[in-house]
Each structure stands twice: as structure tokens, then as C-alpha cells.
Amino acid sequence: MEESPVELTSGSEIDDVIGELWEGGGERALADVTEVDFDELLVFPEGATAERVNEAAGGKLLNGKYYLSSTQLFLFRNGGAAVLAAMISSDVFEHEIQNATFGPGVRIVAPGGKSLITLED
């Protein structure tokens, strides 16, 4: 399998916004937070198979059999090609975002007061 067109990144710019929303509440479009154009966001949890992630990334992004980071993997794609693979803090998200796919209008939605956050199209 050829190498993925992207490499894993820390996703710190997204994490910073998530932290603010987790505490204060509100919502923010992910398109306003990232510097990439995307039409699809795939969210992979710890334990996702490397085969599934690599297939979605369009090349070898992960070694081994599983995604073993304790973070969520946000894989942004545009026109079917990976444009960003960001590792995002997982402990503030509702469980239902795992293994989900979202469109380009996806928003981070937070009730505030350190309550769990979700993603919505």
C-alpha cells in the first residue's frame, strides 16, 4: 500500500477551540477552525482497525493493526482524498460521534459547563 497523502497531526488548533466550548458552551463550524477545505469528516475512535483508517485515508497512515492513540482521529477528506488527519482529545465528546461521517457544514456543539460535546451537520 502506498503512503497516505497526509500525516498524523496533533490537532491542537481544533483542541483549543474544543476546550473553550467545553467550558463556555456554544458552537463553532469546524471549517472555521481548520485551514483545509473539506467535504467530509470521518471520526475514528481508539481501537479502529488500521485497515479501515488506511482505506479511508487513501494510503498507509497507520502501522500495525489498530489505531492505538487515546485520542479521536478526525480524518478530513476533500473529493475523496485525505487532506488532514488530526488527533483530537476524546474525553469531552459524546460517544455517538465515533465511527461517524459528517459533511462540510459540521459544527462542534457544546452545552458548556464542562458537559460532553457533540458534532452536528
Side-chain angles (χ1 to χ4, degrees), residues 24-91:
E27 62 180 71
R28 183 102 180 260
L30 259 177
D32 294 342
V33 180
T34 66
E35 294 185 8
V36 296
D37 290 328
F38 68 95
D39 58 20
E40 190 176 34
L41 167 66
L42 290 80
V43 180
F44 296 100
E46 178 181 15
T49 65
E51 179 181 11
R52 195 162 148 251
V53 172
N54 290 340
E55 184 178 305
K60 191 171 185 175
L61 179 63
L62 302 179
N63 294 313
K65 293 187 178 202
Y66 300 98
Y67 177 62
L68 297 177
S69 174
S70 61
T71 61
Q72 303 277 354
L73 174 57
F74 280 25
L75 182 64
F76 295 86
R77 299 194 315 181
N78 198 7
V83 292
L84 177 65
M87 297 180 293
I88 306 298
S89 298
S90 60
D91 54 354

